[in-house]
Amino acid sequence: MSKMIGILTSGGDSPGLNAAIRGIGKALLGRYGMKVIGFRDGFRGMMENRTQLLDSEALSGILTLGGTILGTSRDKPYAMPVAGKLRDMTEVIVDNYRKHHLDALVCLGGGGTQKNAYHLMKQGLNVITLPKTIDNDVAMTDVSFGYDTALGIATEAIDRLHSTAHSHHRILVLELMGNKAGWLALGAGIAGGADVILIPEIPYDVKKVAAAILRRSHRGQGFSIVAMAEGAISQQVATELDEAGKNKGGKKKEKKRQAEERASNNKPGNSQFLAQQLEELTGLESRLTILGYLQRGGTPSAGDRLLATRLGTACADLINDGVFGVMVAARGDGVEPVALKDVVGKRRTVPLDHCWIESARSVHTCFGD
Ligand code: F6P
């Protein structure tokens, strides 16, 4: 009797998901003679028992496709929106795993997905995961697929902003994704030659940013590019959050208060507010571009296709060897299965002494500190 394996994609979509599905599926079918079904739209589709057969025809021609052929959602097994309420649908999901006589479930996703997979592992399911996110913030892996593609898109955006900033002698602020980690802004800022890189890990002093821009201007470089992670915050906001964080639930309340204050004062978001501050402090015109979902769109880069295929085929090997409860982590040119319990609840942020930061400082990039 052939083994039956389930696959789902969960969380934000990302280039490389289909390459990973292809790597897992082709290896399981061709090398190990197993059968594969996909669940639609992440854990929600597993709860609703919406499936799609992943046979060789379904797996053909998807290596270069962006997004996910299975669809995705951010729904959690233990807190699933059902009839307007969040309900624990774990039992239904476990039942559907059993109904399909699954021998294993593969979950492709970021930090939240790793946590959801670990939750199902504790219910006795054989789960194995791959690290996916453009944020590159999944712990215990050198890199997640999706990051390399987003890095290329963000870098091209910075390249293009140089010509318009130079022509108009302007400050161009580019807000980049990354959730609460600065990898995308840091990597693209270096690759694109941004003059200022602002990341969540280094709260910034806007006056220091303005001073760096004015020094450039006085040297005759009347334009500057600021690569700003969406999670970057000022030192003042960081202090307010730290103070609030001393009380239980304080940080969450403080973030809510700040958002309400911003809305009531018609204060723009972090990046728009920064652009306005820089124009006031430097006298240079300042404009904002929010790159948004372009960073998640379109065909995966060659690097992500390679990484997703490597991780996917290694996942199939581990399934064949009966290795479960692990994430297939990228380690150098190879892979390493790491225990899910060591992955969940952690976020891979940029270490303050990371060599990329030192490298950026060596070419006079300002971090606002
Ligand atoms: O996690 C990937 C990501 O693109 C983050 O960078 C971003 O903050 C978030 O997803 C956006 O979430 P959504 O797709 O639900 O709007």
Side-chain angles (χ1 to χ4, degrees):
M1 183 81 164
S2 301
K3 288 193 172 179
M4 178 66 83
I5 311 299
I7 299 181
L8 63 81
T9 57
S10 173
D13 78 305
S14 149
L17 274 169
N18 291 320
I21 292 168
R22 172 182 175 275
I24 299 163
K26 278 183 172 275
L28 288 174
L29 266 64
R31 174 164 279 195
Y32 300 115
M34 296 185 193
K35 289 191 168 61
V36 187
I37 57 167
F39 289 98
R40 306 285 311 162
D41 303 331
F43 295 98
R44 166 165 292 281
M46 193 164 180
M47 184 268 284
E48 294 169 345
N49 199 24
R50 289 184 289 119
T51 63
Q52 128 178 28
L53 180 63
L54 292 177
D55 57 11
S56 53
E57 187 183 348
L59 295 168
S60 172
I62 65 171
L63 173 65
T64 59
L65 280 186
T68 160
I69 59 171
L70 294 177
T72 185
S73 72
R74 291 188 181 277
D75 292 337
K76 304 175 180 69
Y78 50 85
M80 187 81 66
V82 176
K85 286 188 179 171
L86 292 181
R87 299 174 195 275
D88 184 346
M89 304 305 285
T90 304
E91 270 186 44
V92 175
I93 286 174
V94 172
D95 282 350
N96 287 334
Y97 177 98
R98 306 279 184 230
K99 276 178 193 162
H100 287 283
H101 307 291
L102 294 184
D103 295 280
L105 173 68
V106 184
C107 303
L108 312 184
T113 302
Q114 308 299 327
K115 185 178 172 186
N116 294 333
Y118 182 57
H119 170 75
L120 294 179
M121 181 195 95
K122 289 188 285 185
Q123 312 301 320
L125 274 56
N126 290 334
V127 298
I128 185 166
T129 70
L130 265 62
K132 166 280 303 172
T133 175
I134 66 166
D135 306 337
N136 203 31
D137 63 354
V138 175
M140 309 297 286
T141 179
D142 289 355
V143 65
S144 298
F145 65 80
Y147 176 68
D148 184 64
T149 305
L151 182 65
I153 294 167
T155 300
E156 185 189 351
I158 293 174
D159 291 348
R160 291 179 179 279
L161 288 176
H162 266 90
S163 54
T164 180
H166 186 269
S167 304
H168 286 267
H169 320 293
R170 280 172 168 166
I171 301 166
L172 261 299
V173 178
L174 175 66
E175 181 188 304
L176 297 171
M177 282 186 161
N179 202 353
K180 296 183 179 65
W183 294 105
L184 257 185
L186 179 58
I190 293 169
D195 306 295
V196 180
I197 297 175
L198 303 178
I199 58 177
E201 295 87 347
I202 305 176
Y204 60 85
D205 177 344
V206 67
K207 292 189 175 64
K208 290 184 177 174
V209 176
I213 290 171
L214 282 172
R215 282 196 295 276
R216 279 180 49 81
S217 180
H218 296 150
R219 289 200 305 266
Q221 293 153 313
F223 74 96
S224 286
I225 306 288
V226 179
M228 180 177 191
E230 62 182 338
I233 55 175
S234 67
Q235 290 173 1
Q236 181 195 336
V237 167
T239 304
E240 289 163 3
L241 285 171
D242 285 347
E243 284 304 311
K246 288 176 182 149
N247 317 314
K248 186 169 169 33
K251 270 203 175 180
K252 200 168 177 181
K253 283 194 199 111
E254 175 58 18
K255 280 185 184 166
K256 189 168 180 290
R257 184 196 67 76
Q258 286 172 6
E260 284 161 0
E261 180 196 353
R262 193 169 284 150
S264 61
N265 299 346
N266 191 24
K267 221 166 148 187
N270 289 351
S271 54
Q272 180 65 57
F273 186 55
L274 175 78
Q276 285 176 345
Q277 285 180 301
L278 291 176
E279 182 161 312
E280 288 158 15
L281 289 167
T282 66
L284 291 170
E285 280 189 331
S286 182
R287 295 289 186 274
L288 169 66
T289 297
I290 298 178
L291 200 53
Y293 294 88
L294 287 170
Q295 297 160 94
R296 294 203 335 221
T299 186
S301 66
D304 270 340
R305 297 177 198 181
L306 172 57
L307 176 59
T309 301
R310 290 198 297 117
L311 296 180
T313 52
C315 176
D317 296 340
L318 289 165
I319 289 171
N320 187 60
D321 296 341
V323 178
F324 303 114
V326 298
M327 176 181 76
V328 186
R331 196 74 73 235
D333 287 343
V335 301
E336 181 184 324
V338 293
L340 269 177
K341 67 178 173 54
D342 295 332
V343 175
V344 297
K346 294 178 188 150
R347 184 189 311 277
R348 181 177 175 270
T349 53
V350 181
L352 296 183
D353 62 349
H354 197 272
C355 53
W356 291 8
I357 291 178
E358 283 321 300
S359 180
R361 292 190 195 278
S362 297
V363 292
H364 317 305
T365 307
C366 167
F367 284 89
D369 59 351

